[in-house]
Amino acid sequence: MKTLPDHPNLDHLRQQAKDLLAGLRDSDPTTSLADAQASLAEQYGFAGWTELKAEVDRQQGRADVADPALARAIAERYDLGEVTSPMRSVARADEIGRRWSLETDRGRWAVRTTDTWIPIVDAETEVALQEAAAGAGVLLPAPVRSRSGAIVESIGEHGWRVNQWLHSGPPLSAPASAAVTRELGRILATVHGLALPVDRVSPWHTMRFAAHGWAEMAQTAQAKGAPWAPALAAAVSTLEALDSIGPANSAPPVLCHNSLGPNNARRAADGRLVIVGWEHAGGQPPSWELGDALTHWTINPDGGVNAAGARALLDGYRAVAGTLPPLGMGMFAGAVTSLANYVSGQLDYALTARDEEIRRYQDRSVRHLLAHLPTPAALERLLDEAVSLSAG
């Protein structure tokens, strides 16, 4: 589920709805802007555009302000210049930490904690991928080293890292237009073409971390009276069917972005895609990350496939790489494993949340997840599009 920033901007949401409209019209030319707004609201976990706008109003002015001494310490450690305005939070904490915005006399900086970050590769390897990708033409906010040359520094009670602030629009949404997915395909092929070595496939994409199966989780949710327990019970068969997808192909991994979904892409002022979220970098066979991208970018809200978007993504990839990687249902094995890990993690978090605001958010997140699971049929349709394009 999409997450509103700490200080949401209604103009950004209107832009997201317009971008989403282009993707929805790839499948249904009669889609209206109101339809796109309703779809976007649902992606944020709300019943409609009016409810989403009300939440935007409710959250105005809720961004946190950091201790000025902390802001100065970060600026000093990373040699960012003199702080010129309060350091403010950008969004709620995620699986890495919390994002902040820091302005100095040398510009604006994206600052974030790393309190919950579990890197798949070390920071130097991840930064090497960013630098190589940027050198190959991928647009991204460059990482900043501290005065000591480190990427991550301990300041106060937290670990911190800094990136240059690259002005861009809001995160994109799925299904994206064919123009967007074609560029995304070119970016994927560019990163894969770097062929940076990595010693293993990301565990997030190869193993289930949950100790219990879906049916048992559904029983636990029902026993605890979770409001989304009926939705989980109804989704068990789909989740179990996704677990059975494979076998995965055994192609060697390359160092990948590893989390290249719509939430990690924005549009720059010149229309190019800006890619963020490189902290999740890790190894995957190229076909796995291609399958993951198809899953996240080209499945419609109703579970159908945006065929135009899928073919454009594949065409963009082939235009750069010269060919598509090995095809088969196994190309989705990493995507469905990572999805299973994410869903089970969200279920556990929702069941254990104590703070009312967090519980409220998690209930919306789980309901959205369970209502928008990809189906094996949708993945088979994506594979058909890939095979058709490869043969053409």
Side-chain angles (χ1 to χ4, degrees):
M1 187 182 77
K2 286 184 170 297
T3 303
L4 286 170
D6 283 350
H7 189 69
N9 184 319
L10 192 56
D11 288 338
H12 278 186
L13 290 173
R14 292 190 179 103
Q15 184 59 55
Q16 283 182 301
K18 290 178 181 178
D19 290 337
L20 179 58
L21 177 62
L24 291 170
R25 282 183 171 171
D26 279 345
S27 298
D28 182 1
T30 68
T31 303
S32 67
L33 178 58
D35 294 330
Q37 289 175 335
S39 179
L40 181 67
E42 188 180 25
Q43 292 189 32
Y44 278 102
F46 296 98
W49 184 251
T50 300
E51 188 175 319
L52 174 59
K53 289 199 298 181
E55 183 68 10
V56 169
D57 291 339
R58 192 180 77 87
Q59 290 196 21
Q60 291 304 307
R62 290 201 170 194
D64 290 334
V65 176
D67 183 337
L70 174 62
R72 290 193 298 270
I74 294 170
E76 167 62 24
R77 188 75 61 89
Y78 283 88
D79 193 22
L80 305 179
E82 295 295 324
V83 176
T84 57
S85 61
M87 187 171 93
R88 299 183 183 275
S89 64
V90 173
R92 67 169 57 235
D94 57 19
E95 66 279 2
I96 295 174
R98 195 171 189 190
R99 291 181 288 133
W100 299 77
S101 172
L102 175 61
E103 294 186 36
T104 73
D105 58 0
R106 296 184 188 173
R108 190 175 180 185
W109 312 89
V111 179
R112 73 177 305 152
T113 61
T114 58
D115 299 337
T116 52
W117 183 39
I118 304 176
I120 299 169
V121 297
D122 62 82
E124 288 297 332
T125 299
E126 168 228 310
V127 168
L129 175 64
Q130 293 189 61
E131 292 172 344
V138 178
L139 190 58
L140 55 90
V144 178
R145 294 184 181 276
S146 69
R147 290 179 183 271
S148 70
I151 294 298
V152 179
E153 288 278 4
S154 178
I155 305 172
E157 299 179 352
H158 305 282
W160 295 89
R161 61 183 299 169
V162 177
N163 286 75
Q164 293 178 350
W165 188 280
L166 189 57
H167 182 70
S168 62
L172 296 178
S173 303
S177 69
V180 169
T181 59
R182 180 172 287 105
E183 184 178 356
L184 189 280
R186 297 179 67 89
I187 291 170
L188 269 180
T190 298
V191 174
H192 294 168
L194 299 171
L196 297 187
V198 65
D199 61 358
R200 61 173 180 163
V201 177
S202 161
W204 182 257
H205 293 82
T206 57
M207 65 179 68
R208 285 286 307 279
F209 298 138
H212 308 294
W214 298 116
E216 186 174 352
M217 289 183 183
Q219 292 171 357
T220 299
Q222 182 179 17
K224 292 189 174 184
W228 38 264
L232 176 57
V236 165
S237 59
T238 298
L239 290 163
E240 290 178 342
L242 290 171
D243 283 346
S244 68
I245 285 178
N249 73 55
S250 58
V254 297
L255 189 59
C256 298
H257 180 282
N258 223 33
S259 187
L260 193 43
N263 280 339
N264 281 328
R266 291 108 166 87
R267 280 205 173 279
D270 62 2
R272 295 171 61 195
L273 290 186
V274 178
I275 305 301
V276 301
W278 296 85
E279 297 90 350
H280 296 293
Q284 286 194 69
S287 66
W288 285 27
E289 191 168 42
L290 180 60
D292 189 88
L294 287 167
T295 301
H296 284 94
W297 285 87
T298 68
I299 293 183
N300 293 326
D302 61 2
V305 169
N306 177 5
R311 291 181 68 86
L313 194 156
L314 294 161
D315 185 60
Y317 189 101
R318 189 172 65 171
V320 171
T323 186
L324 294 176
L327 304 176
M329 284 300 285
M331 69 189 293
F332 301 110
V336 298
T337 300
S338 65
L339 174 64
N341 284 326
Y342 182 70
V343 172
S344 59
Q346 290 295 298
L347 297 178
D348 288 341
Y349 193 20
L351 288 173
T352 58
R354 295 290 179 264
D355 180 85
E356 182 60 31
E357 185 76 12
I358 294 176
R359 186 184 304 113
R360 179 172 172 265
Y361 173 83
Q362 283 302 123
D363 284 347
R364 293 205 324 268
S365 177
V366 168
R367 288 180 186 277
H368 181 269
L369 271 174
L370 297 175
H372 295 84
L373 295 170
T375 64
L379 300 185
E380 289 170 0
R381 174 75 188 282
L382 288 173
L383 176 60
D384 289 344
E385 295 293 341
V387 170
S388 173
L389 187 64
S390 181

